[in-house]
Amino acid sequence: MSDFNRNELQAALVLIGLGIGCLIIALGYPMGTVVRMGAGFFPVALSVLLIGLGAVLAWQSRTAEKTEVVLRLRPFVMILGGILAWALMVDRIGFLPATAILVVLCAMVERETTWRSALLLTAGLCVFGWLVFIVGLKIPLSMLGG
Amino acid sequence: MDLISGLALGIETAITAEALLFCFLGVTIGMFIGVLPGIGPLAAVAMILPITYHLEPMAALIMLAGIFYGAQYGGSTASILLNLPGTSTTAVTAIDGYPMAKQGRAGVALFITTLTSFFGGCFAIVLLMSFAPALGAMALKFSSAEYFSIMLLGLIAAATMSLGNPLKGVASVVAGLMLAMVGMDTTSGQLRYTFGILELQDGLNLVAMAMGLFGVAEILKNAGTPERDASQLQKVRMRDLVPTRKDLSQCWKPAIRGAGIGSFIGTLPGAGPTLAAFLSYALEKRVARDPSRFGRGAIEGISAPEAANNASTQAAFIPTLALGIPGDAAMAVLLGAMMIHGIQPRPEFFTEHADLFWGLVVSFWVGNLMLLVLNIPLIGIWVRILTIPKRILFPAVTFFICVGVYSVNNSPFDVLMVIVFGIVGYLMNAFQYPTAPLLMGFILGPMIEQHFRRALLFSRGDLTTFIDRPISAAFLAAAAILFVAMLLPSLKARFGKSAAAKKSQESASAE
């Protein structure tokens, strides 16, 4: 078991878990008959398939080649954080500040970024975004404030 | 409608100032995106989609399609010059293209790939013109049973023909189908998997999903890694582009073979340009008199896959337009775009929307011609694009993703879904589960469920309806063969390790 692949097994177990979760919910929907299938039929069938596939993949993971999964926290936190901030704040504090937060956070992921270049980029994207999306396409967002 | 009057109608609709402008915009954006490593045509189409809402369906379609095939042209530039494929479909081009660049023949390689791309594209457009309406006419006789079976074939093709473990592809498709269940069931009105969240009642947003899986996931993978080395980038001058007579005589046969393979693969629902490029490269290596030249700058090694991936991209429009079944994941997004514009691709498309179909075909000719003309003289500009650093590129792309997704429904909730699918896509990549089949499953999910239920309603619950009808049976048989054929290698590896070892030894000695 020296080449035991933990990652492959974990992924397969997640599939099984998802399948079980979906199955439990799907059992609450009307199944109907074969002629008049209810809303529950397809989800139940798919859940069972998912569980089955997960089981086979878990079995296969015993012999699967070892893979390495590297998680780098920095891009995750800053890029996803930037998108999260934009989504939560854009209709509260306005298009300009939300975009500034997003762009600066994303730019700071790269180590070569300087404050100067980040701010220049922010300014450029704000102007471009304002022209294309708000003036041009008339997306209902205000520049500042909600 | 026959070919000539169809073309005449197409020229009438596609050769207008407006249509030409949007065709030009589309192919230029596609080319640009294709050159940039890491952002594929899928994310590009999804990003531009919101901008097209305000256009006429015709202009929108011409532009979106242009992005799609334009990216195939651009993708080879990064492959050849930096050994970094601009899109996954041009990964094969790097194998022989990069060695050519190192030998100082980058210009020739770029010229040849542009030329063969053009050839492959044109080859498939001819097929599209001649066969898509016929297929549409045939499909008029399809009932729900046939539709279910052909979609199943498409899903199995999408699952098994991605590289890697085919079972993971199947799992990915099933997960995609499951995601399609979210929202209101169209037949009964029952809400499924909405967890009381109002925004989920209409189902998950396709654009948000595509952007997360293919845009954000890719950025998460590459952000913060060392900047790619652009210092070794060669200057490409116009006179470097001229191929020798020998180059040309070596590349036309592989280009024809590549275009053939690409058209065939592209027409299959579910199988896309990446597979076409890989297959045609493998074929060239097999038929070559001296296979050892491959990987060291063989011109056949760039001309065949480039013809193949462009042919496949154009041929993918055949099932998409005739049956409403996308040829690959990027086509699936395009299909979504057509539906947003109120065009339901189905067999009647060719008669009801004859102007759209022929206009699109003519715009393909125009677009391919524009790409040929754009690509070669402007090669210096495309090379410069490769030097845009990630610290500018990634924040800009993330910003466009946010605004683009927001503007689909003016909904911040959709932007939050991008985060979710970004994480999902990142994890799937990390654990080597293909993401494109997930999207295919999601797009086909509602249709396949509806047709399955309807087919059984018509047959009064008799499951044999799927094999009693000959066309449906043929699709199912094809699906079964595909499934078994793709599982065979892994079964072989399990039960006959010695045979596999022998085979790999053989191929190793052939390298």
Side-chain angles (χ1 to χ4, degrees), chain B residues 21-361:
Chain B
L21 174 72
F22 285 110
C23 186
F24 177 76
L25 273 177
V27 295
T28 316
I29 295 171
M31 180 87 203
F32 182 81
I33 299 275
V35 174
L36 291 174
I39 312 166
L42 227 160
V45 169
M47 251 188 282
I48 305 297
L49 189 57
I51 298 181
T52 66
Y53 290 162
H54 305 263
L55 302 175
E56 296 279 304
M58 181 82 211
L61 268 185
I62 286 179
M63 185 162 146
L64 289 170
I67 295 172
F68 189 45
Y69 57 79
Q72 303 299 334
Y73 278 78
S76 48
T77 310
S79 288
I80 291 169
L81 293 175
L82 286 181
N83 202 16
L84 273 176
T87 56
S88 65
T89 56
T90 55
V92 187
T93 311
I95 304 176
D96 276 289
Y98 186 61
M100 277 183 83
K102 281 212 287 203
Q103 293 156 15
R105 284 160 49 81
V108 177
L110 289 168
F111 183 81
I112 294 284
T113 53
T114 307
L115 211 62
T116 49
S117 292
F118 180 71
F119 173 74
C122 292
F123 188 89
I125 302 171
V126 173
L127 287 182
L128 172 66
M129 288 190 330
S130 0
F131 290 128
L135 185 65
M138 192 177 96
L140 280 173
K141 301 191 197 86
F142 283 13
S143 72
S144 284
E146 278 85 15
Y147 271 107
F148 170 79
S149 302
I150 196 172
M151 281 187 222
L152 192 68
L153 170 63
L155 287 180
I156 289 185
T160 51
M161 289 196 177
S162 46
L163 307 163
N165 184 347
L167 273 185
K168 287 184 174 178
V170 177
S172 182
V173 162
V174 175
L177 289 169
M178 201 75 217
L179 288 170
M181 298 295 118
V182 175
M184 192 182 284
D185 171 28
T186 44
T187 321
S188 65
Q190 166 87 38
L191 290 179
R192 295 187 287 195
Y193 301 105
T194 55
F195 306 104
I197 300 168
L198 195 67
E199 283 92 344
L200 286 179
Q201 286 189 8
D202 294 331
L204 294 164
N205 183 316
L206 167 70
V207 178
M209 192 187 273
M211 299 279 220
L213 288 176
F214 297 94
V216 174
E218 202 61 38
I219 292 176
L220 286 176
K221 189 171 117 198
N222 294 319
T225 55
E227 203 64 68
R228 54 181 180 272
D229 187 13
S231 60
Q232 47 172 324
L233 213 58
Q234 314 179 5
K235 281 218 176 68
V236 180
R237 286 159 307 187
M238 279 301 275
R239 63 185 159 90
D240 297 334
L241 294 174
V242 185
T244 62
R245 189 166 297 226
K246 188 163 159 256
D247 292 333
L248 285 174
S249 70
Q250 270 176 337
C251 83
W252 66 271
K253 270 191 208 153
I256 293 174
R257 283 192 289 261
I261 291 181
S263 306
F264 175 70
I265 297 284
T267 314
L268 283 181
T274 311
L275 182 76
F278 273 97
L279 275 184
S280 68
Y281 187 81
L283 177 76
E284 284 315 312
K285 211 169 161 179
R286 183 151 294 183
V287 300
R289 246 179 248 144
D290 178 15
S292 67
R293 284 175 42 247
F294 283 81
R296 293 180 198 155
I299 203 141
E300 299 96 315
I302 57 169
S303 51
E306 278 302 310
N309 66 31
N310 283 274
S312 163
T313 308
Q314 300 289 6
F317 281 92
I318 298 176
T320 311
L321 296 177
L323 306 171
I325 298 170
D328 69 354
M331 270 294 138
V333 174
L334 206 71
L335 191 73
M338 291 173 78
M339 290 180 186
I340 289 169
H341 281 283
I343 305 156
Q344 179 78 54
R346 57 202 169 115
E348 292 86 353
F349 179 77
F350 301 101
T351 41
E352 279 172 11
H353 294 288
D355 54 332
L356 256 179
F357 172 70
W358 290 104
L360 207 54
V361 167

Side-chain angles (χ1 to χ4, degrees), chain B residues 476-507:
Chain B
L476 284 183
I481 291 168
L482 199 60
F483 191 65
V484 173
M486 288 296 156
L487 282 184
L488 267 184
S490 64
L491 290 178
K492 248 189 204 155
R494 197 155 302 260
F495 296 112
K497 277 210 167 106
S498 56
K502 204 173 152 201
K503 202 176 162 198
S504 70
Q505 231 169 23
E506 270 170 15
S507 63

